[in-house]
């Protein structure tokens, strides 16, 4: 298994100057090569390989105006071209958008392969930097001297913090002990997640809690003169405010996903179209603040790492409007209605808990058909529930009172064939 250890780095002024030059050269190599790729495609309608991009970089270094590219290590520049080639591959495969130009005010990074660094006895030395780079190791149970990194990435945030990341190949961890517990998870805004057993996880609203201070820093930045030292200081304050929001959200998502994976053996979630949902201008900021896409990504790799199972159901299943007891489907249910009574069996439902129960039932039912519903990649992948819809009224598993386990399993594959 491949993992990474990300640590705070503390370069001295000489090292910071050398790394800043490396960042600038890597950024120039990326931007000029990207512009050349696009111009070549418009003129010749020809694609560009990595070998051609590398030859173009060599030609750039030979020009008089760009001879300063030779002052830094060539490894980060070559790695920037490799990342650009991979980015175009993802773009043509439909997994990402077209690569864009890099800005000097954003996050800066430089990646070194084994030929560009030396790591011995817990000390890191980078190419064309004479002294070892100081960093803080944050894993007391791992000896830094025993780590054998394959790549090292040095980065600097817009707020001025330095980081170094070690990519390491480690043995696969032992799977977690089985618990026998299953859970359907319904994601929302008021409560970040509601499980099928009635547990509600509060939404921390990381951005909303710091929105006033962030707006104040942005107003100060807008009043500063372009290119002034005060504007650079104001930009750093805005970046620090965003970093606190980002760190708070990431901490919450990691804690929540780790707790779910540790306590549940099977987790069922809904395939949410987050990119389409944020087009709602009234809810776009609140949805973006939740981080549903990152939460699903963390669940995917943590369940695969710890021997758990993640099931993703179809996004068009009406879980909130369907009674989890008798299967009755409401004709309409507004977002403001948080609880409702089933007109068929009289059961009172909490909207989110009922949706979580139905998500769990749908995931277990499709899993019983043998369909491959574990998708750890893009949300554009079609799940078996979406491919084979079934009548909502018939076959919804009945839940016992106070239990998240369905009393009986219903197979939608058999229902499509007219069997019961």
């Amino acid at each position: 298994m491949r993992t990474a250890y990300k640590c705070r780095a503390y370069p001295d002024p000489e090292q910071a100057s050398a790394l800043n030059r490396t960042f600038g050269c890597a950024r120039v190599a990326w931007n000029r090569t990207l512009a050349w790729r696009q111009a070549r495609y418009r003129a010749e309608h020809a694609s560009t390989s990595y070998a051609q991009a590398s030859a173009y970089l060599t030609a750039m270094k030979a020009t008089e105006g760009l001879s300063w590219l030779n002052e830094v290590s060539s490894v980060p520049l070559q790695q920037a071209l490799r990342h650009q080639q991979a980015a175009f591959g993802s773009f043509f495969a439909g997994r990402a958008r077209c690569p864009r130009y890099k800005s000097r005010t954003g996050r800066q990074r430089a990646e070194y392969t084994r030929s560009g660094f030396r790591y011995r006895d817990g000390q890191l030395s980078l190419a064309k930097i004479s002294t070892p780079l100081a960093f803080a190791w944050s894993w007391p149970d791992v000896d830094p001297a025993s780590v054998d990194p394959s790549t090292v990435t040095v980065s600097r945030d817009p707020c001025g913090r330095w980081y170094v990341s070690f990519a390491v190949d480690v043995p696969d961890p032992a799977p977690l002990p089985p618990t026998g517990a299953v859970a359907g998870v319904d994601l929302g805004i008021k409560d970040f997640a509601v499980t099928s057993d009635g547990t509600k996880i509060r939404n921390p609203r990381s951005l909303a809690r710091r929105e006033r201070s962030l707006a104040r820093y942005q107003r100060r930045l807008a009043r500063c003169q372009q290119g002034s030292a005060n504007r650079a200081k104001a930009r750093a304050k805005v970046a620090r405010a965003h970093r606190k929001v980002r760190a708070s959200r990431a901490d919450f998502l990691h804690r929540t996903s780790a707790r779910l994976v540790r306590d549940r053996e099977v987790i069922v979630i809904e395939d949410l179209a987050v990119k389409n949902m944020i087009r709602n201008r009234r809810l776009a900021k609140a949805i973006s603040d939740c981080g549903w896409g990152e939460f699903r990504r963390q669940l995917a790799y943590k369940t695969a790492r710890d021997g758990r199972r993640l099931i993703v159901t179809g996004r068009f299943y009406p879980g909130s409007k369907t009674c989890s007891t008798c299967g009755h489907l409401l004709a309409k249910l507004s977002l403001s209605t948080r609880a409702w009574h089933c007109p068929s069996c009289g059961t009172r439902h909490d909207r989110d808990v009922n949706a979580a129960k139905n998500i769990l039932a749908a995931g277990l039912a499709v899993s019983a058909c043998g369909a491959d519903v574990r998708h750890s990649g893009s949300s554009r992948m079609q799940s078996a529930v979406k491919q084979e819809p079934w009548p909502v009224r018939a076959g919804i598993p009945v839940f016992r009172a106070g239990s998240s386990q369905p009393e009986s399993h219903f197979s939608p594959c058999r229902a499509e064939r007219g069997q019961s």
Side-chain angles (χ1 to χ4, degrees):
M1 185 183 71
R2 191 173 181 84
T3 187
Y5 299 102
K6 188 175 182 179
C7 314
R8 283 286 303 275
Y10 300 93
D12 57 34
E14 183 180 354
Q15 293 173 341
S17 177
L19 289 173
N20 284 327
R21 288 197 302 270
T22 304
F23 294 155
C25 292
R27 185 177 63 251
V28 169
W30 173 286
N31 290 342
R32 287 181 176 264
T33 306
L34 179 59
W36 173 71
R37 279 176 179 267
Q38 295 175 347
R40 185 168 180 264
Y41 180 79
R42 287 193 296 266
E44 306 174 12
H45 295 282
S47 60
T48 303
S49 64
Y50 168 73
Q52 294 171 325
S54 181
Y56 181 75
L57 175 61
T58 303
M60 279 196 299
K61 290 182 176 180
T63 60
E64 183 178 356
L66 296 174
S67 59
W68 42 268
L69 291 175
N70 298 289
E71 298 177 1
V72 302
S73 173
S74 62
V75 175
L77 277 61
Q78 295 291 341
Q79 288 300 106
L81 298 187
R82 288 190 177 93
H83 288 307
Q84 188 177 105
Q85 189 71 26
F88 270 103
S90 299
F91 168 67
F92 290 125
R95 297 189 301 267
R97 58 185 176 184
C98 184
R100 298 180 298 174
Y101 294 98
K102 294 187 180 296
S103 170
R104 67 176 61 190
T105 59
R107 179 176 178 268
Q108 308 296 315
R109 65 189 299 271
E111 185 179 76
Y112 295 83
T113 57
R114 292 184 184 273
S115 60
F117 72 92
R118 184 176 68 254
Y119 187 80
R120 294 178 181 174
D121 299 329
Q123 288 191 343
L124 175 64
S125 299
L126 301 175
K128 294 197 175 183
I129 297 180
S130 57
T131 57
L133 179 64
F135 60 90
W137 189 259
S138 305
W139 292 268
D141 55 337
V142 179
D143 184 10
S146 64
V147 174
D148 183 22
S150 57
T151 61
V152 170
T153 303
V154 182
S155 60
R156 191 196 70 224
D157 276 354
C159 60
R161 285 195 173 191
W162 294 81
Y163 299 92
V164 58
S165 180
F166 302 92
V168 183
D169 292 325
V170 298
D172 293 338
L176 294 176
T179 62
V182 296
V185 180
D186 178 62
L187 301 179
I189 297 178
K190 179 182 178 182
D191 294 309
F192 175 79
V194 178
T195 61
S196 53
D197 57 4
T199 303
K200 295 187 177 182
I201 303 174
R202 185 180 61 86
N203 187 357
R205 300 182 182 271
S206 303
L207 178 61
R209 288 190 291 113
R210 296 177 173 85
E211 197 170 14
R212 292 185 61 184
S213 61
L214 181 59
R216 183 171 66 252
Y217 292 145
Q218 288 175 332
R219 286 194 298 268
R220 293 177 183 175
L221 175 62
R223 289 194 291 263
C224 293
Q225 184 178 358
Q226 292 283 348
S228 63
N230 286 336
R231 183 175 179 84
K233 296 177 184 178
R235 185 188 298 114
K237 288 185 178 181
V238 173
R240 281 195 293 271
H242 279 291
R243 177 182 56 80
K244 292 179 180 179
V245 173
R246 185 169 60 251
S248 175
R249 184 186 298 118
D251 178 74
F252 167 77
L253 294 178
H254 275 293
R255 290 177 182 272
T256 304
S257 58
R259 185 167 63 251
L260 284 173
V261 173
R262 182 179 63 249
D263 298 339
R264 275 82 173 183
E265 194 168 354
V266 178
I267 301 174
V268 185
I269 61 174
E270 189 178 6
D271 184 16
L272 296 177
V274 181
K275 185 181 294 186
N276 297 335
M277 296 171 70
I278 60 176
R279 295 177 181 175
N280 186 334
R281 60 185 180 89
R282 296 184 178 180
L283 298 175
K285 184 185 293 186
I287 294 174
S288 301
D289 192 16
C290 292
W292 292 336
E294 173 64 15
F295 182 68
R296 171 175 170 174
R297 187 193 71 84
Q298 292 182 11
L299 283 179
Y301 85 80
K302 289 180 182 180
T303 51
R305 179 193 62 188
D306 297 331
R308 303 304 198 194
R309 189 179 184 191
L310 177 66
I311 299 176
V312 183
T313 65
R315 65 180 59 168
F316 298 111
Y317 178 63
S320 300
K321 300 190 296 183
T322 304
C323 177
S324 59
T325 303
C326 66
H328 179 80
L329 176 63
L330 295 180
K332 184 177 181 182
L333 183 66
S334 62
L335 287 175
S336 59
T337 304
R338 309 312 304 175
W340 55 280
H341 287 82
C342 177
S344 178
C345 64
T347 306
R348 186 182 186 277
H349 293 292
D350 181 279
R351 176 195 184 99
D352 299 327
V353 176
N354 179 68
K357 290 180 179 180
N358 285 325
I359 290 173
L360 174 62
L364 295 179
V366 175
S367 178
C369 296
D372 183 13
V373 293
R374 181 179 178 177
H375 301 316
S376 59
S378 171
S379 61
R380 287 189 291 269
M381 300 181 68
Q382 301 291 323
S383 67
V385 177
K386 186 175 178 180
Q387 294 170 357
E388 298 188 18
W390 66 91
V392 178
R393 287 181 178 272
I396 295 295
V398 177
F399 286 81
R400 298 180 184 273
S403 173
S404 61
Q405 300 286 347
E407 182 177 345
S408 62
H409 297 298
F410 168 73
S411 172
C413 302
R414 297 178 62 188
E416 281 294 302
R417 297 193 297 265
Q419 302 177 7
S420 59

